[in-house]
Amino acid sequence: MGIASITIRAARRRAAAGLVLAGLAAAGAARAGEPAAAGAAPWPVRVVIVVAYENGEDRGDAPGELQSWVEREGLDQRLDFPGGVRPLRANADRSVLALTTGMGLANAAVSTMALAADPRFDLKRAYWLVAGVAGIDPHAGAVGDAVWVDYALNDLARELDPREAPADWPYGAYAFRADGPGRLPAQTLEYGAFARYAQVYPLDPALTDWAFDLTRDTELDAAPELRELAREWRDFPATQHGPRVRRGASVSSNRYWHGEAGTRWARDWVRLHTGGRARFAVSDMEDAAIAAAIARLGRTGAVDPRRLLVLRAASNYTRPPPGVAAFASAQRAHAGRGVPAYEAAYRVGRRVVRELTKNWARYADALPVADAPANGQDRSEKLP
């Protein structure tokens, strides 16, 4: 058989494979109730709202992270999403999507990647808003607060059971190649999004500043349950104010950890890996994975990695109150069944979504920038 015949047959196989893939894509779109016409342009998305879970149905029952967005922001379209754990939600023109990733680092990363690979959507100029709940360090804020995340950190680490660790260790987790907790290895290592030990994902500071500036005066729900809870935390000044919008770093983990030692570890982890530029505020199970996916997708041109915002509303504390055992504290139900936190994430997040979509001509090609502080005053929220 001649080389020309082999080349022709290979070309035919590639063409056939292309037709099969096109057919599968069209079939998938048809199952999702979407147009499967050849050459149909993908829908340009302006905002992707990212949540981890919903407690039940998308509307009409006890809310989780998704329900308020569906009910109050007109996300009436339900789109099949084979690459995810739950159907997508969208508004009438699909310019706003809501993605439910599923809980944990693997779910969060894979669901984000799956959405970016979905041919129905053009995400090149989309803003991504993670709007979920989290645990909060009582030195950084209170249950019911909403925190704009400036750094998302991963928890890639080595760990000993504390009962088997040296007696002077405050906790069992420590950085790879380090000789103990609370310090980095003597050898200088990279911890960015593309490093071997990928740990640190700084969010675009100008965009985060803008979101905080836009929303810092949002009125949050000072529910009776929150006032009652505050009495247990009277020795922690940051917990004694009404709910407010704050800023700080998040630490993501597949482990739902809780306790004084874990909170100390998280503070040290953030300080170490950001060179003291950030302070630990909230714990979660998805942020670093979503940020990692967005960073990788940015290299492909599928998304603009600068357009990621992370908002976490506090549903619980990362440690027990004085006089309460860690296990008993970890088993407690969240204040108000988590509703004050779900409401805070929605109330703060919706202001960003509505501003971006209403003034899309302004924000489509240029990222928003916070107004300059009046009289040269520093308007940023400082953690204690």
Side-chain angles (χ1 to χ4, degrees), residues 13-327:
R13 284 195 296 271
R14 287 195 296 271
L19 289 172
V20 169
L21 289 173
L24 289 173
R31 285 196 304 273
E34 307 304 341
W43 294 304
V45 177
R46 298 179 182 182
V47 179
V48 181
I49 301 158
V50 183
V51 302
Y53 67 90
E54 179 52 50
N55 289 323
E57 299 300 321
D58 290 357
R59 58 168 71 242
D61 58 3
E65 293 182 342
L66 176 65
Q67 190 169 126
S68 290
W69 294 102
V70 173
E71 293 181 339
R72 298 191 234 176
E73 294 303 306
L75 304 185
D76 297 325
Q77 294 202 16
R78 186 181 176 95
L79 308 179
D80 190 25
F81 184 42
V85 300
R86 194 180 187 100
L88 301 169
R89 280 289 186 164
N91 62 351
D93 64 1
R94 289 94 166 184
S95 63
V96 178
L97 298 179
L99 166 67
T100 305
T101 64
M103 292 181 66
L105 298 172
N107 269 331
V110 173
S111 294
T112 302
M113 287 285 192
L115 180 61
D118 194 313
R120 293 173 291 175
F121 309 113
D122 178 356
L123 299 166
K124 293 183 179 63
R125 297 193 295 180
Y127 291 85
W128 298 71
L129 172 64
V130 179
V133 299
I136 195 165
D137 181 350
H139 283 296
V143 169
D145 286 356
V147 179
W148 286 109
V149 171
D150 49 14
Y151 285 80
L153 283 89
N154 193 15
D155 73 337
L156 190 65
R158 302 188 73 173
E159 186 171 15
L160 301 178
D161 187 304
R163 293 166 295 188
E164 301 175 80
D168 60 344
W169 282 25
Y171 42 77
Y174 59 105
F176 275 92
R177 303 191 184 186
D179 59 4
R183 47 191 178 269
L184 293 177
Q187 175 188 1
T188 300
L189 297 176
E190 294 296 324
Y191 295 106
F194 303 97
R196 176 178 180 179
Y197 300 116
Q199 298 280 28
V200 184
Y201 301 88
L203 281 295
D204 185 271
L207 183 62
T208 304
D209 285 348
W210 169 80
F212 175 72
D213 188 75
L214 177 69
T215 63
R216 61 183 297 164
D217 62 348
T218 304
E219 183 178 348
L220 300 179
D221 184 13
E225 297 93 336
L226 301 185
R227 294 194 295 271
E228 181 179 345
L229 182 63
R231 287 197 286 270
E232 294 187 70
W233 296 90
R234 60 177 60 91
D235 295 333
F236 295 79
T239 70
Q240 298 304 297
H241 307 285
R244 59 180 58 182
V245 179
R246 300 181 181 271
R247 292 162 52 142
S250 73
V251 174
S252 303
S253 176
N254 276 324
R255 297 175 300 118
Y256 186 103
W257 57 267
H258 186 79
E260 294 183 57
T263 301
R264 178 175 175 180
W265 161 77
R267 292 179 196 141
D268 290 347
W269 199 250
V270 170
R271 174 181 54 80
L272 286 171
H273 285 95
T274 67
R277 292 185 297 275
R279 299 287 297 275
F280 170 64
V282 288
S283 64
D284 69 274
M285 304 178 77
E286 295 85 24
D287 292 352
I290 295 167
I294 294 293
R296 301 294 174 90
L297 289 166
R299 280 189 167 181
T300 72
V303 306
D304 182 345
R306 301 171 300 166
R307 299 187 179 211
L308 173 62
L309 286 163
V310 176
L311 175 67
R312 287 287 174 176
S315 57
N316 59 285
Y317 290 106
T318 59
R319 51 151 291 177
V324 177
F327 182 69

